[in-house]
Amino acid sequence: MRAGQDGAPARELFRDAAFPASDSSLCFNSSTPLAQFREDITWKRPQEICATPQLFPDNPWEGQVKQGLLGDCWFLCACAALQKNQHLLDQVFPPGQPSWSEQSYRGVFTCRIWQFGHWEEVTIDDRLPCLAGRLCFSRCQREDVFWLPLLEKAYAKVHGSYEHLWAGQVADALVDLTGSLAERWSLKDVAGASDQQDRASGREHRTCRQLLRLKDRCLISCSVLSPRAGARELGEFHAFIVSDLRELWSRGGQGILLLRIQNPWGRRCWQGLWREGGKGWNQVEPAEESELLSQLKEGEFWVEEKEFLREFDEVTIGYPVTEAGHLQSLYTEKVLCHARSLPGAWVAGQSAGGCRNNSCFPCNPKFWLRLLEPSEVCVAVLQRPQRCSVGHLRAPMGASPTPGSLPGKDYQAVGLHIWKVEKRRVSLPRVLSAPPVAGTTCHAYDREVHLRCELSPGYYLAVPSTFLKDMPGQFLLRVFSTGKVSLSAVRTASKGASPRAALPAGEWETMQLRGCWRAGQTAGGSRNFASYFRNPCFPFSIPEGAGARCVRITLHQHCGLSDSQLHPIGFHVFQMPAGGEDKDTPSQLLQEPLLSCVPHRYAQEVSRLCLLSAGSYRVVPSTYLPDTEGTFTMTIATRIDRWGCRLWWDPRHLPMWVSPSCPTNPSPSLAADTGGGHTALGTPCRSKALKRAQA
């Protein structure tokens, strides 16, 4: 306890144990220059940094972003989008949070970050990294304003550490802070369009003058991927904010487009023709020069269009978001008021067919898209990242590439194609061999790829794919449209989808066991989480016999017909050591599984056919994330000679969530929820599988 201003005891300030004020929150693998400052960094609350901290300033400019020691200019540029739209800022930083001068202040703040289709609340304490008593990472232009460093801390918590923010793409941070889409325009393409080249290519033509009508509605960022001989002061792998665009006329009557650029470093670094005192200003009237130069704030400079196209490499633009939460087209300004999304996955050997160069391309996940009226449509494929080290994109912004880092290593090269079909019952080989009506120009190592097209009413087939086949991954398909649209997954007849149909010929013994995952009790999530041991655990045994037995293990989740209700599911099978039946279950589940059915898939049913020798086993079904509720059926089918697979019915050997109090000889399909238990059991039964598996 600490003393309050009136001498009375005050409540202890919140300390976030999940993201502590320690090295674990600063560094991931110490592979960036951040590691050299680690021993000198201290953690201070805002009231320990300045006398009168505040969340937001009265003057908007005083809250503008300024970069510190951390190479996260890509994130800071995206944060500038929130200053253009109060609705977006309120969504990410919910209003009504207590300030440091209020009695209700407890040192805790909440932000919202958009993650893979959902807004996630992130709670943090307000202890911030400092060097010599000052903030060492992001700060606002006025250093007693703290909305930005607090949001940066929440984003670092989502990613695992501050060091994880070292290098990234502005487009990814824009999506995370707005739930919108973001496009990246290569300025080489823009220069080509401006010179009226490539006019017959059929591609969307983009020019700098298009940015004029977008400047007030959305964030525009530009970046340098490699330094030019004449402009090394711009840095390498660095992102900037386009804070304004102005079109004016020269004394000779020619149009001039000037772009005002803000450097997150907070210093003016430009030495081009339109710097203060530069020769470019000789082309305009002195009054215009004086007006435009007076608008420059710290870290800002003016660049003319040709200089801009020559010295910068790409532009990132976020789709505008209305107060109702709808996206607005970058090209037509129409509101994309209808949105749909569905999860999907590429599974090696099943649905990871690779690009159209591969004969197995039709195996990729497929989605029906139905439009009821002519519409402008944006379709996007968002990958779930498989983060393994700092720096995670093809062309990172904010710092030089981390030594040893590989481009795009957290993402697959992904593409998307769309075909028009006359009806839903179609010949897939015939449809997919025809040219698509729309498609990405290439497979890209980006977190999200998307395409925009004008589509007539009818049915369409959308196929997201990786470039290489058998490359696993999870994704979210998002559709935004001006007209009414429906989205559903194509349900192909999967070989062996039914446990009985999947069984080769012979005599089989089949058991069905029903259970459920309950939040806080038996929904432990995957093996990535410490709560994994809470999952339902089913013991079974293979009796002595003539060698190993063929076993089919199937996990079926019960949910509605909509794919949006599916959870990613999988299971592991553990072999119990001799005499290990009485051992503690959590400790047994720490060992490596004998076999697994992973990665977790967004599927109604997952299955594994294997050979098991005589012995004792436990199968553990799980969802990918903890506290994901649902019900399921486990089916264990064993090929038998005379004796089959049987459960351990001795109550001493059953875990607490398995109920032994079921009828002594129930029907195989009988199941009864045991209330406190999370599993209902059926006894073994024998059946003959007369159909051979087709796979």
Side-chain angles (χ1 to χ4, degrees):
M1 301 291 287
R2 59 186 181 88
Q5 293 180 350
D6 56 358
R11 297 172 68 178
E12 190 71 27
L13 295 180
F14 173 65
R15 291 172 173 264
D16 186 5
F19 197 68
S22 66
D23 286 354
S24 64
S25 299
L26 286 175
C27 295
F28 167 61
N29 59 8
S30 301
S31 60
T32 71
L34 181 60
Q36 64 184 300
F37 302 101
R38 186 172 53 189
E39 294 182 359
D40 299 320
I41 289 178
T42 59
W43 298 76
K44 294 181 178 295
R45 299 186 188 268
Q47 65 271 34
E48 299 171 331
I49 300 173
C50 62
T52 55
Q54 54 184 319
L55 272 178
F56 300 100
D58 296 328
N59 184 343
W61 178 81
E62 295 175 342
Q64 284 188 350
V65 303
K66 193 171 182 180
Q67 187 178 355
L69 295 176
L70 190 61
D72 63 345
C73 62
W74 60 283
F75 168 69
L76 301 183
C77 287
C79 288
L82 305 180
Q83 296 178 297
K84 284 180 171 283
N85 190 319
Q86 186 64 41
H87 170 70
L88 290 178
L89 182 59
D90 290 344
Q91 185 169 248
V92 171
F93 217 111
Q97 304 195 49
S99 65
W100 293 270
S101 60
E102 297 177 12
Q103 289 292 327
S104 56
Y105 164 73
R106 294 292 177 264
V108 57
F109 290 87
T110 299
C111 298
R112 296 192 190 106
I113 308 294
W114 191 90
Q115 292 285 283
F116 207 68
H118 303 282
W119 285 100
E120 302 286 349
E121 283 202 348
V122 184
T123 300
I124 56 169
D125 63 35
D126 59 353
R127 294 177 293 175
L128 300 169
C130 295
L131 273 177
R134 296 180 61 192
L135 292 170
C136 59
F137 297 151
S138 75
R139 63 180 72 95
C140 295
Q141 294 290 345
R142 181 169 167 173
E143 293 193 23
D144 60 355
V145 174
F146 286 92
W147 76 271
L148 181 63
L150 289 173
L151 180 56
E152 181 186 51
K153 181 173 184 177
Y155 202 59
K157 180 178 179 179
V158 168
H159 285 71
S161 72
Y162 278 96
E163 192 174 41
H164 272 113
L165 303 187
W166 196 288
Q169 284 287 2
V170 177
D172 294 347
L174 264 176
V175 172
D176 291 343
L177 295 179
T178 65
S180 176
L181 294 175
E183 286 196 9
R184 293 164 57 197
W185 296 0
S186 168
L187 291 181
K188 292 182 180 179
D189 295 339
V190 171
S194 299
D195 294 337
Q196 301 199 1
Q197 299 172 357
D198 266 348
R199 287 299 183 185
S201 66
R203 289 186 290 178
E204 201 87 57
H205 297 305
R206 301 158 177 169
T207 67
C208 283
R209 276 174 168 75
Q210 280 183 278
L211 304 180
L212 274 170
R213 59 180 177 80
L214 295 170
K215 66 173 184 175
D216 297 324
R217 298 190 293 125
C218 58
L219 176 101
I220 304 171
S221 173
C222 58
S223 57
V224 175
L225 304 185
S226 58
R228 295 349 186 235
R232 292 188 179 275
E233 64 272 13
L234 292 180
E236 182 179 20
F237 294 107
H238 190 44
F240 302 77
I241 301 163
V242 180
S243 52
D244 194 12
L245 291 94
R246 293 289 296 270
E247 192 169 25
L248 51 148
W249 298 96
S250 69
R251 293 176 178 177
Q254 294 179 327
I256 299 175
L257 181 65
L258 293 182
L259 299 93
R260 194 167 92 203
I261 309 298
Q262 178 188 348
N263 187 350
W265 288 337
R267 61 178 184 268
R268 295 181 188 176
C269 58
W270 181 244
Q271 297 299 317
L273 292 176
W274 295 84
R275 69 184 185 277
E276 189 171 0
K279 295 180 180 180
W281 297 107
N282 296 335
Q283 303 177 43
V284 301
E285 297 295 335
E288 287 185 305
E289 174 187 2
S290 177
E291 177 197 353
L292 294 178
L293 288 177
S294 68
Q295 295 176 8
L296 295 180
K297 306 295 183 182
E298 184 179 1
E300 292 186 331
F301 54 91
W302 288 103
V303 178
E304 191 269 334
E305 181 181 13
K306 289 184 179 178
E307 286 181 312
F308 180 73
L309 294 174
R310 182 179 67 245
E311 303 298 345
F312 292 84
D313 291 290
E314 69 178 25
V315 166
T316 300
I317 308 170
Y319 275 60
V321 181
T322 68
E323 289 196 7
H326 301 313
L327 272 60
Q328 198 171 3
S329 171
L330 292 178
Y331 301 94
T332 66
E333 300 187 22
K334 295 179 180 178
V335 177
L336 306 172
C337 52
H338 298 275
R340 298 288 184 272
S341 64
L342 280 178
W346 296 288
V347 180
Q350 298 182 39
S351 59
C355 67
R356 296 177 68 204
N357 298 334
N358 298 299
S359 60
C360 50
F361 175 78
C363 298
N364 282 300
K366 295 169 284 293
F367 297 85
W368 290 120
L369 182 64
R370 187 186 183 188
L371 293 169
L372 302 180
E373 54 190 299
S375 304
E376 179 181 357
V377 180
C378 292
V379 187
V381 179
L382 175 67
Q383 297 187 68
R384 187 187 289 276
Q386 300 173 348
R387 185 180 301 281
C388 53
S389 63
V390 175
H392 53 282
L393 291 170
R394 176 170 55 87
M397 298 295 118
S400 299
T402 303
S405 64
L406 298 175
K409 59 183 173 296
D410 281 347
Y411 303 110
Q412 306 294 344
V414 171
L416 173 66
H417 295 85
I418 297 177
W419 282 264
K420 178 75 181 289
V421 294
E422 295 302 322
K423 54 185 179 179
R424 289 185 60 157
R425 295 181 64 86
V426 296
S427 169
L428 280 178
R430 182 180 302 172
V431 170
L432 300 182
S433 63
V437 297
T440 52
T441 56
C442 64
H443 285 66
Y445 286 102
D446 289 332
R447 191 179 77 167
E448 187 168 40
V449 298
H450 51 84
L451 54 88
R452 172 199 168 270
C453 47
E454 299 280 350
L455 298 179
S456 58
Y459 283 103
Y460 294 84
L461 190 66
V463 183
S465 63
T466 57
F467 181 72
L468 299 175
K469 67 176 183 179
D470 290 335
M471 301 300 291
Q474 298 178 8
F475 63 86
L476 183 71
L477 186 71
R478 301 201 286 163
V479 179
F480 303 91
S481 173
T482 56
K484 292 183 179 179
V485 62
S486 64
L487 179 67
S488 60
V490 175
R491 296 190 177 276
T492 56
S494 90
K495 299 177 182 180
S498 165
R500 290 183 179 271
L503 300 177
E507 189 176 7
W508 291 77
E509 182 172 294
T510 302
M511 294 179 302
Q512 287 190 338
L513 309 101
R514 293 188 183 179
C516 62
W517 297 289
R518 289 183 179 170
Q521 300 180 42
T522 60
S526 66
R527 296 184 72 222
N528 297 333
F529 301 93
S531 56
Y532 175 73
F533 71 91
R534 297 179 184 170
N535 285 301
C537 181
F538 300 105
F540 68 97
S541 62
I542 303 296
E544 296 290 339
R549 300 289 181 89
C550 185
V551 179
R552 166 72 77 181
I553 304 175
T554 303
L555 172 62
H556 179 98
Q557 63 173 315
H558 305 291
C559 61
L561 297 178
S562 171
D563 281 4
S564 62
Q565 297 176 299
L566 291 176
H567 302 307
I569 58 172
F571 60 83
H572 298 281
V573 177
F574 298 83
Q575 185 168 19
M576 297 294 102
E581 295 85 353
D582 295 318
K583 291 185 178 179
D584 181 53
T585 296
S587 63
Q588 292 172 340
L589 301 187
L590 291 176
Q591 63 181 317
E592 285 297 313
L594 178 68
L595 60 94
S596 304
C597 186
V598 292
H600 289 67
R601 293 175 51 202
Y602 284 96
Q604 188 94 42
E605 193 171 90
V606 295
S607 186
R608 181 76 190 268
L609 185 67
C610 55
L611 289 175
L612 296 179
S613 57
S616 300
Y617 302 88
R618 292 193 177 188
V619 57
V620 181
S622 65
T623 57
Y624 180 74
L625 294 176
D627 295 332
T628 302
E629 295 198 333
T631 59
F632 62 85
T633 297
M634 289 293 312
T635 302
I636 304 175
T638 308
R639 193 170 184 171
I640 60 174
D641 295 323
R642 292 184 61 189
W643 302 99
C645 170
R646 70 182 50 153
L647 280 175
W648 292 337
W649 294 101
D650 189 337
R652 295 173 302 170
H653 299 156
L654 288 173
M656 62 171 290
W657 49 80
V658 176
S659 170
S661 58
C662 47
T664 56
N665 189 24
S667 161
S669 60
L670 177 65
D673 190 355
T674 58
H678 308 291
T679 304
L681 305 176
T683 55
C685 69
R686 295 187 179 183
S687 64
K688 290 190 176 181
L690 302 179
K691 296 182 180 179
R692 293 183 178 274
Q694 299 179 9

